[in-house]
């Protein structure tokens, strides 16, 4: 699945991932391949994801939005 994490200033990450953990405003949630379509707001916290080659990465955010659709996870962070 593809993950794009974008801020107003830069593209923070773009690539293939196996799993993404997000701090949703209604509670933290995990996105796996073939996840149902969803749009959610994000609260301050960490986006944690595992790349296709197994590396785990963390990005701290102050909030944002996420759209999951057709194995593409698009995150706009503030």
């Amino acid at each position: 699945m593809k993950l794009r994490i974008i801020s107003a200033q830069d593209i923070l990450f773009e690539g293939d991932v196996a799993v993404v953990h997000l701090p949703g405003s209604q509670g933290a949630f995990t996105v796996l391949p073939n996840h149902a379509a969803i749009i959610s707001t994000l609260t301050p916290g960490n986006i944690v994801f595992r790349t296709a080659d197994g590396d785990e990465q963390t990005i701290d955010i102050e909030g944002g939005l996420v759209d999951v659709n057709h194995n593409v996870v698009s995150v706009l962070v503030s």
Side-chain angles (χ1 to χ4, degrees):
M1 118 182 113
K2 299 281 184 194
L3 172 63
R4 294 183 192 122
I5 304 175
I6 303 166
S7 73
Q9 296 81 20
D10 202 3
I11 296 173
L12 303 177
F13 178 84
E14 187 169 15
D16 292 322
V17 297
V19 61
V20 183
H21 304 283
L22 298 153
S25 59
Q26 297 295 312
F29 63 97
T30 299
V31 177
L32 297 168
N34 301 312
H35 194 284
I38 186 174
I39 297 174
S40 177
T41 55
L42 301 174
T43 59
N46 299 318
I47 299 173
V48 180
F49 57 94
R50 188 168 15 101
T51 61
D53 60 6
D55 291 333
E56 187 170 287
Q57 297 184 31
T58 301
I59 296 178
D60 296 329
I61 64 168
E62 294 301 317
L65 297 168
V66 61
D67 174 61
V68 179
N69 199 7
H70 298 293
N71 280 324
V72 177
V73 181
S74 300
V75 182
L76 176 60
V77 299
S78 55

